[in-house]
Amino acid sequence: MASAVKGYLVLEAGTPQGLRKPVGTSIIIGRTPDCGFVINDPSASRHHVEIVAHGTVFHWRDLGSTNGTILNGTRMLEGELRHGDKITIGATVLRFEIEASAPAHLAPKPSAFSESTLTFGTDFDPAARPGHSPDELLEAAYSVLNAISSNYETCSLQDQILETTMKAIRGQRGGIFFAGENESMLAPCPVCHKVHTIREGRLERADVDDVRISRTAARRVLTGGESVLYRDKVSDSDLNMADSVMALHLRSIMCVPLRAKSKILGILYVDADRENQAYSREDLLLCAAVGNGAGLAIENAAMHQQILERQRIEQEIAHAWIIQQGFLIREWPEAGTGRFEVYGETRPARVAGGDFYDFVHVDANHVGILIGNVSGKGVPTSLSMAQLLADFRQCAHYVISPVEVLKSLNGDLFKRSRNGMFCTLCYLTLDLATGQALCANAGHHPALLIRPDDVELVGHATGQPAGVSASPTWVDAEWTMDEGDTILLYTNGIISARHPESGDEFGAEGLARIARSLHAQPPRELIEAVNNAVTAYCAPARPHDDCTMIALRRL
């Protein structure tokens, strides 16, 4: 019985360097104190990566982080961890370790061969089927490995392995099984969730429990890492194996490991129940060579699919950003009106999020500014944002009360909302004649009122975000803006920007400090200065979330 496997994370680059923590059954890596492994890196998300132990195998996955995760130099979303793998998050590097007592299928032994013989009490003659000459063996091995070397689709790759191998050894029946959660469990293909099999040249897929094979032989290969050949000579080998072979009426069995870079992915299993068929040692050598190459090919195919998935996501992000830019205002009213100035801008992080802003000239005496953040990332979020802005522009022209506008938006958003999607919103209207400001806040950050002698947080959230419930309750906040006063709305990316050394957030205090010194500046210059201050605060890293602001100044 193999010893229990323990995984550890070692902080290779970061503070404190050399910190080592056990993974246990699971661990989350991120910035917040509730994470099992807290890293002080501004590029890290609050909950960035999760590692989960499944028996003796450790799986990791990116938890939808803003800046992504790099494994061994390649940006990936998830996968299986091996001893020595390096996880990079921003400037932080974590090394994954497995203690020395890990079982063989995680740290495979050098290739070994075992030939056991069983007696059938028949007149079967193993010499009836000639073996391969050395030249034929090399040619067959080259032919098989060459055929599978450029296939990066996991399912078709397995079919190709079976077809080419069985043709080379003139095999009767075979299949590819993957290692399960423990070292003796067989699992189907991780893509189609079926076992790829072949019989008499015909490819089939079946449920793992429906494929009858010698499980003892399979377990022996998975746990010991050896290639096994059974045929009909007298032997006192494993009686359990003999029982299973007799029950299945098998005449010959070969089973070899599918070796990846640092583990055994599964097995290539071949058997026969014909009286005139016995697999030879040359057949076993060929299958073992195929197993080594096939394991690497399957591993490469899985990595290739992860890279393609990452590229698909990045392309989706690019499309999402195009959608967002198409709906955000780019041309702003001239300051020459003499009554107000307004300007908004969004600076995206690497991943396009759901930040947005808008401005509306309600009537001759009223203007409004809106800011919000739709939960999630990518195209679905951008489409929801676009629909919400279209609804807002239609509603805001005939409804003055911000609360009533938010209620109208909430009704449509709640009907469309799927999988928990919601939206924080803050909408403010200004009466240009009287200076009366009305503001409704649905779960968003408060507004920052900038006066010549002070700054103040106003318009705090009075209810939950839009889209959460059918009938939320919000309240209009009211205050007066004098000439020269500016109101600034902003998203989480501004105040949650982190210092690379201390890990402290820029915060509302940092925003207020910058705004206080710029109270006389137009909105465009104010927003530019805040963005520059946030960028400098995070340097050399970048803000990990979108930085979006809109400011309105009464003249």
Side-chain angles (χ1 to χ4, degrees), residues 320-336:
W321 181 238
I322 291 171
I323 294 171
Q324 284 179 286
Q325 288 297 289
F327 276 83
L328 297 177
I329 294 177
R330 295 190 179 188
E331 296 182 3
W332 298 93
E334 295 291 335

Side-chain angles (χ1 to χ4, degrees), residues 114-132:
S114 171
E115 182 174 346
S116 297
T117 53
L118 304 172
T119 180
F120 286 89
T122 70
D123 57 356
F124 177 74
D125 180 10
R129 182 176 176 273
H132 299 278

Side-chain angles (χ1 to χ4, degrees), residues 49-264:
V49 166
E50 181 182 31
I51 299 174
V52 178
H54 297 286
T56 57
V57 179
F58 293 84
H59 292 276
W60 74 277
R61 66 185 180 98
D62 186 291
L63 298 174
S65 67
T66 299
N67 294 313
T69 305
I70 295 174
L71 182 72
N72 299 330
T74 302
R75 191 176 297 277
M76 299 177 73
L77 296 175
E78 61 181 327
E80 197 170 305
L81 284 174
R82 309 179 192 105
H83 181 77
D85 280 351
K86 293 185 179 182
I87 301 170
T88 302
I89 299 171
T92 301
V93 179
L94 296 166
R95 185 176 69 254
F96 178 71
E97 295 182 347
I98 296 176
E99 69 175 11
S101 59
H105 80 292
L106 286 172
K109 303 172 183 177
S111 220
F113 296 91
S114 171
E115 182 174 346
S116 297
T117 53
L118 304 172
T119 180
F120 286 89
T122 70
D123 57 356
F124 177 74
D125 180 10
R129 182 176 176 273
H132 299 278
S133 70
D135 287 344
E136 289 175 329
L137 185 65
L138 287 173
E139 184 178 350
Y142 174 79
S143 175
V144 174
L145 295 175
N146 185 59
I148 67 176
S149 62
S150 59
N151 191 333
Y152 295 107
E153 203 285 311
T154 304
C155 285
S156 68
L157 175 59
Q158 292 175 72
D159 291 342
Q160 194 173 26
I161 291 167
L162 289 171
E163 282 187 312
T164 54
T165 304
M166 297 297 277
K167 181 179 179 181
I169 65 172
R170 302 185 291 278
Q172 181 188 356
R173 189 180 78 131
I176 290 177
F177 296 82
F178 286 81
E181 292 185 359
N182 64 58
E183 61 190 67
S184 61
M185 182 183 296
L186 297 176
C189 168
V191 176
C192 67
H193 306 293
K194 297 285 187 179
V195 177
H196 291 251
T197 67
I198 188 169
R199 185 180 184 93
E200 306 290 0
R202 188 178 70 241
L203 292 167
E204 296 178 345
R205 298 184 188 184
D207 293 331
V208 66
D209 293 332
D210 293 339
V211 183
R212 301 184 67 199
I213 66 169
S214 173
R215 303 275 169 166
T216 308
R219 284 194 296 270
R220 183 168 179 176
V221 174
L222 283 176
T223 58
E226 56 184 316
S227 298
V228 176
L229 169 64
Y230 286 88
R231 55 189 183 184
D232 73 330
K233 295 178 182 177
V234 177
S235 172
D236 58 354
S237 65
D238 192 334
L239 291 178
N240 290 329
M241 171 65 76
D243 289 343
S244 66
V245 170
M246 292 294 289
L248 295 172
H249 306 290
L250 298 177
R251 301 287 180 170
S252 189
I253 301 171
M254 285 191 301
C255 191
V256 301
L258 300 176
R259 297 180 184 274
K261 184 178 179 182
S262 58
K263 62 171 289 182
I264 293 176

Side-chain angles (χ1 to χ4, degrees), residues 412-469:
D412 293 334
L413 182 61
F414 182 75
K415 293 175 183 177
R416 296 193 307 267
S417 181
R418 295 292 185 274
N419 301 322
M421 181 176 286
F422 61 89
C423 179
T424 65
L425 291 167
C426 184
Y427 176 47
L428 176 143
T429 61
L430 174 64
D431 187 322
L432 298 173
T434 66
Q436 181 195 45
L438 295 176
C439 178
N441 190 325
H444 200 80
H445 296 289
L448 186 67
L449 177 60
I450 308 167
R451 302 183 188 276
D453 57 350
D454 194 18
V455 294
E456 179 185 0
L457 290 173
V458 295
H460 293 267
T462 58
Q464 61 194 2
V468 175
S469 64

